[in-house]
Amino acid sequence: MMSHPAVRLDHLTCRFPRKGNDDLVAVNDFDLTIPMGQVYGLLGPNGSGKTTTVNVISALLPPTEGTCRVMGVDVRKDPSTVRSRIGVVPQETALYNDLSAQENLQFHARLYRAPRGERQHRIDEVLDLVGLSGRRKDRVGTFSGGMQRRLALARALLTRPDIIILDEPTLGVDVQSRNALWERIRAQADDGGTVLLTTNYMEEAQALADDLAIIDHGTLVATGAPDELRATLGRHYVHLHSDAPARWDELEQTEGIAEVRISGDQVRVEATGSHDPVRTVLDFAASHGITVQITSVRQPDLNDVFLALTGTTLRDQAA
Ligand SMILES: Nc1ncnc2c1ncn2[C@@H]1O[C@H](COP(=O)(O)OP(=O)(O)OP(=O)(O)O)[C@@H](O)[C@H]1O
Ligand SMILES: [Mg+2]
């Protein structure tokens, strides 16, 4: 059998009609291939089209133009097959607050026709996985936000889907619950599963994603492994003190140095991510016979990548 990628988007475009205005283009001519067996991240600021894209992939929203195939199945032609193969944790965790954790899972197992004889065993298993066994009989309305996100993940795992889709899995979740969720998500892929997650936290993309797509205003800006993207597009910042600050001006001519800013006896050197900036700085000081004291080095992060690609930061845009 030919092996299909987990997701394949070809010229995906999603428009929403607006009264008395042009259509809002949420996703614009988006091409993307997501392989099986990875954690794949969609990173972008608020309103960049992540949820819209995920809703198309989940067969909840038909594309305006272009195609979306999930494991080779066209979402437009066979949405129910697509839905049967994926488990979705939506951005707004839609759980039943008046039911207990266990009842929520029982309801979902029935809805998705999980084999009757296996239901209880699977419910026990997923509750255990997300660390909620002890709270199974409690009403979900009494759960904290982080516990609700974990239960939503348990529910997505219940049907043993080929692909798990998580829309902002740790939004509003505390550090402890976040780490527990990250571990579960990572373990899923380490066991051969496929996970697609959206996030506007660069730390999350960095920590979890094998590969990621950066999107902005509904268009694809870049794809690659987080480290690759950081190395080619990120910026290092080296802050230093020197007895001859003015002479550092000349460092700007060196390959890999994007900018040198001098204020008083302090110098800030901005270097492209593919060079070792500390080495460059030390070599420069030695060859010019000037002293240098490096006070800090900031490694490039995905925010620098986003800035380099779009001219704005992930946060600037967050409305
Ligand atoms: N049902 C809808 N009707 C009209 N406009 C919509 C609809 N859904 C999304 N949009 C618009 O599409 C754009 C993309 O929204 P989307 O929810 O996909 O962004 P997002 O990247 O998930 O953002 P966030 O990080 O805030 O969750 C936004 O401008 C949004 O207002
Ligand atoms: Mg969203």
Side-chain angles (χ1 to χ4, degrees), residues 6-317:
V7 176
R8 168 105 192 230
L9 307 178
D10 285 295
H11 300 293
L12 178 69
T13 295
C14 297
R15 284 192 289 265
F16 295 109
R18 280 188 294 188
K19 266 213 177 96
N21 212 331
D22 291 344
D23 288 357
L24 188 144
V25 186
V27 176
N28 193 4
D29 200 20
F30 195 0
D31 288 324
L32 188 70
T33 302
I34 301 176
M36 296 293 294
Q38 280 198 350
V39 177
Y40 199 95
L42 270 186
L43 177 70
N46 290 150
S48 55
K50 301 181 299 295
T51 296
T52 305
T53 303
V54 156
N55 284 346
V56 170
I57 296 169
S58 310
L60 298 173
L61 174 76
T64 313
E65 278 165 36
T67 55
C68 167
R69 291 190 196 85
V70 177
M71 300 174 77
V73 180
D74 189 323
V75 293
R76 212 196 292 268
K77 292 184 186 139
D78 194 355
S80 53
T81 298
V82 170
R83 283 186 213 121
S84 72
R85 291 187 181 169
I86 59 178
V88 184
V89 180
Q91 186 162 0
E92 304 295 332
T93 305
L95 296 160
Y96 296 99
N97 283 340
D98 290 331
L99 301 183
S100 70
Q102 170 154 267
E103 286 162 349
N104 264 279
L105 295 175
Q106 283 163 344
F107 179 78
H108 191 75
R110 268 202 305 278
L111 191 66
Y112 279 81
R113 302 199 177 85
R116 192 178 290 269
E118 265 186 52
R119 284 180 197 169
Q120 195 52 49
H121 165 71
R122 285 200 196 178
I123 288 170
D124 294 345
E125 185 183 71
V126 295
L127 280 171
D128 191 44
L129 273 177
V130 300
L132 286 174
S133 298
R135 301 295 297 266
R136 62 189 313 142
K137 301 222 164 104
D138 294 348
R139 232 166 42 82
V140 168
T142 67
F143 280 11
S144 72
M147 289 163 64
Q148 293 192 14
R149 293 306 281 167
R150 271 147 61 196
L151 183 60
L153 176 62
R155 187 178 60 180
L157 293 168
L158 193 62
T159 49
R160 305 218 173 128
D162 294 308
I163 303 171
I164 295 186
I165 298 180
L166 304 147
D167 196 3
E168 310 264 0
T170 62
L171 197 69
V173 164
D174 69 22
V175 174
Q176 218 180 345
S177 299
R178 187 190 76 176
N179 289 347
L181 272 167
W182 281 3
E183 268 176 41
R184 274 315 316 151
I185 294 166
R186 215 30 268 176
Q188 194 64 25
D190 294 342
D191 289 346
T194 303
V195 179
L196 167 62
L197 66 89
T198 77
T199 186
N200 54 47
Y201 298 129
M202 58 191 172
E203 304 85 353
E204 185 156 272
Q206 183 69 45
L208 286 180
D210 294 300
D211 276 305
L212 61 99
I214 296 180
I215 63 170
D216 188 31
H217 296 296
T219 51
L220 180 67
V221 181
T223 56
D227 288 345
E228 266 166 38
L229 290 166
R230 290 195 312 151
T232 51
L233 292 160
R235 293 281 193 261
H236 281 94
Y237 293 94
V238 181
H239 291 255
L240 58 91
H241 283 297
S242 176
D243 59 350
R247 297 193 57 196
W248 287 87
D249 212 24
E250 216 185 294
L251 178 66
E252 221 173 70
Q253 315 309 319
T254 311
E255 204 200 331
I257 302 299
E259 194 193 40
V260 177
R261 258 196 230 176
I262 302 163
S263 75
D265 65 344
Q266 305 203 23
V267 180
R268 189 190 80 160
V269 177
E270 184 181 336
T272 55
S274 51
H275 287 75
D276 175 359
V278 173
R279 184 80 265 141
T280 309
V281 160
L282 294 177
D283 286 350
F284 181 85
S287 65
H288 288 70
I290 52 181
T291 65
V292 63
Q293 188 198 349
I294 292 177
T295 50
S296 72
V297 180
R298 191 168 74 69
Q299 304 289 332
D301 59 32
L302 289 172
N303 207 26
D304 296 320
V305 174
F306 193 81
L307 180 65
L309 290 166
T310 67
T312 51
T313 67
L314 278 165
R315 291 295 149 209
D316 281 349
Q317 301 207 338

